[in-house]
């Protein structure tokens, strides 16, 4: 992804923001304006007040308060790292039987439609692509297609063609699945989406993140 040109307002909204890892990268590395933060944890939301004071805030994505936000420019991208408890070892791993599976598979595509955002991007637990023999990822893809979007690029040799990284250069071993979605047909205007390229030339170590 290239840094937006001068004078062009590129606005994003992040759901399930947590420590705002995705928003911070979007803002700091690419100059993207964060127009809204959705996070249920009160401490993280307090940090959002300080980090992105101009952004709208909501503590519950199910309230769909974002639908009435007055943002100064059109939202270009919806960001999110949706809850992984349905697929990861820290949760019950009930996959499609999880009572909150919609948070993992349905909410972000719905936000893209509601906010008329042509792009979506985020990360997930690596088991998201394998849970229930791939049916969790298939449900996510189905919800995207119903929204007029699709997940690209598709990587040969990975489950469901996901972008999968065992090392992201952070001071932790954290296997992650990355996803990018865009309006179907937009590649005819901007060209095909390329696979994510991580700069691993200067990986962090534990001393880099200690206070």
């Amino acid at each position: 992804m290239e840094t937006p040109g001068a004078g062009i307002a590129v606005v994003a909204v992040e759901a399930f923001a947590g420590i705002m890892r995705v928003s911070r990268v979007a803002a700091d590395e690419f100059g993207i304006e964060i127009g809204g933060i959705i996070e249920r944890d009160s401490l993280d939301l307090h940090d959002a007040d300080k980090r992105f004071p101009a952004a709208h805030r909501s503590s519950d994505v199910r309230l769909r308060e974002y639908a009435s936000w007055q943002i100064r420019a059109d939202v270009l991208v919806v960001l999110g790292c949706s809850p992984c408890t349905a697929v990861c070892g820290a949760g019950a791993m009930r996959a499609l039987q999880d009572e909150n599976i919609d948070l993992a598979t349905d909410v972000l595509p719905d936000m893209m439609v509601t906010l008329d955002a042509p792009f979506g991007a985020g990360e997930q637990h690596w088991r998201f692509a394998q849970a229930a023999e791939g049916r969790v990822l298939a449900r996510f893809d189905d919800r995207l297609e119903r929204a007029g979007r699709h997940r690209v690029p598709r990587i040969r040799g990975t489950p469901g063609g996901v972008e999968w990284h065992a090392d992201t250069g952070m001071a932790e071993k954290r296997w992650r699945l990355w996803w990018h979605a865009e309006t179907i047909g937009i590649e005819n205007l901007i060209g095909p989406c390329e696979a994510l390229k991580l700069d691993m030339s200067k990986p962090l170590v534990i001393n880099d993140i200690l206070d």
Side-chain angles (χ1 to χ4, degrees), residues 144-185:
L144 284 171
E145 290 179 8
R146 292 187 190 185
R149 278 74 171 172
H150 60 171
R151 179 172 53 86
V152 290
R154 299 298 177 96
I155 309 300
R156 183 178 299 177
T158 66
V162 298
E163 296 189 72
W164 204 353
H165 295 273
D167 188 354
T168 59
M170 298 291 104
E172 58 185 339
K173 194 68 173 180
R174 193 167 183 254
W175 287 32
R176 302 306 290 168
L177 177 159
W178 299 90
W179 64 271
H180 167 88
E182 61 188 34
T183 301
I184 295 172

Side-chain angles (χ1 to χ4, degrees), residues 81-96 101 104-105 123-140 158-160 162-166 173-178:
C81 176
S82 56
C84 62
T85 51
V87 301
C88 74
M93 298 182 69
R94 300 186 67 237
L96 294 176
I101 189 61
T105 58
E123 59 172 334
Q124 245 293 352
H125 192 280
W126 63 273
R127 287 198 179 100
F128 190 75
Q130 296 179 312
E133 299 178 337
R135 292 193 297 276
V136 173
L137 178 64
R139 172 167 163 158
F140 179 59
T158 66
V162 298
E163 296 189 72
W164 204 353
H165 295 273
K173 194 68 173 180
R174 193 167 183 254
W175 287 32
R176 302 306 290 168
L177 177 159
W178 299 90

Side-chain angles (χ1 to χ4, degrees), residues 4 34 36 54 58 62-63 80 86 95 101 111-112 135 151 159 180 207:
I34 304 303
S58 174
R62 291 195 190 281
L63 296 177
I101 189 61
M111 286 183 65
M112 292 178 71
R135 292 193 297 276
R151 179 172 53 86
H180 167 88
N207 282 340

